[in-house]
Amino acid sequence: MSDPTVPAPDLTAAGPAAIDWPSLLRQGTGPTQAEFRRLVEHTTHYHGYSPDLIWGNLQTRAYAEEVLRLVVDLHGIPRDIEAGAAERVARAQYFGVGGRSFHVLLGEQALLTGIGGPEVMHAQLEHLLEAVKLPGLTLGIIPARARLTVYPGNGFGIFDGARVEVEGYRGGETIIDDRVQIFRRAFDRLHESAVYGDDAQAVITTALHAS
């Protein structure tokens, strides 16, 4: 397994720019997901934590559509669900390309949260089992009863060690200031509670059989 520590940012590169996610979301899920895909495209090293949903880059098309349907219904935005889902699943094209690495932690709850019903969840978990083999991906599962060394908090993504994106009911938030280091430390501590490889697959398989 590769070094789990989140790399320090490249201070010689141009600084990242914040995105006005709430304004973008009002235009629909298509523009929002397209912008996020571009963000992934321009990232070399990604570290992410998703406590209760399957991470976007590993979602099936059906799962992504169900998630975005919930977003559309909550925010009352244009119902361009198919366009948004297409952009979201397109992130998977970057696995194994250009030396990119993705280190992702999923809470066990992400395997159990009922998105779209049993059929959607069953297919999603089968897909997740296959995804463990993807090049450039390090996937850890944090068991529900694992002892944590930091409080769980919300899901987040760290892009090249210099930018954090946090999602919530109010829409996405970009963090590019000194608070980034808090998320880097949180990821490293969450990693300590995760299982990988055969142990991670066993947790996923258990959830699959229960779906």
Side-chain angles (χ1 to χ4, degrees), residues 54 87 95 115 124 131 156 202:
I54 303 299
E87 287 287 353
F95 285 117
I115 299 295
Q124 174 63 70
F156 58 85

Side-chain angles (χ1 to χ4, degrees), residues 55-161:
W55 176 52
N57 295 37
L58 295 177
Q59 292 178 7
T60 64
R61 178 64 178 262
Y63 185 100
E65 288 180 353
E66 292 296 333
V67 170
L68 294 179
R69 184 170 290 109
L70 297 176
V71 172
V72 164
D73 289 345
L74 176 63
H75 290 278
I77 57 177
R79 298 189 65 83
D80 59 344
I81 294 168
E82 291 187 3
E87 287 287 353
R88 175 167 284 196
V89 300
R91 299 181 207 168
Q93 69 184 287
Y94 302 115
F95 285 117
V97 176
R100 291 180 178 85
S101 66
F102 301 87
H103 188 164
V104 179
L105 303 175
L106 297 181
E108 185 176 353
Q109 179 59 48
L111 314 178
L112 305 174
T113 302
I115 299 295
E119 184 176 347
V120 171
M121 285 303 302
H122 193 86
Q124 174 63 70
L125 293 173
E126 286 185 329
H127 177 68
L128 194 60
L129 276 176
E130 290 298 316
V132 172
K133 309 168 189 175
L134 286 170
L137 173 66
T138 301
L139 178 63
I141 306 294
I142 302 175
R145 295 187 179 276
R147 182 173 181 177
L148 299 179
T149 59
V150 64
Y151 59 86
N154 295 324
F156 58 85
I158 308 173
F159 298 78
D160 288 326

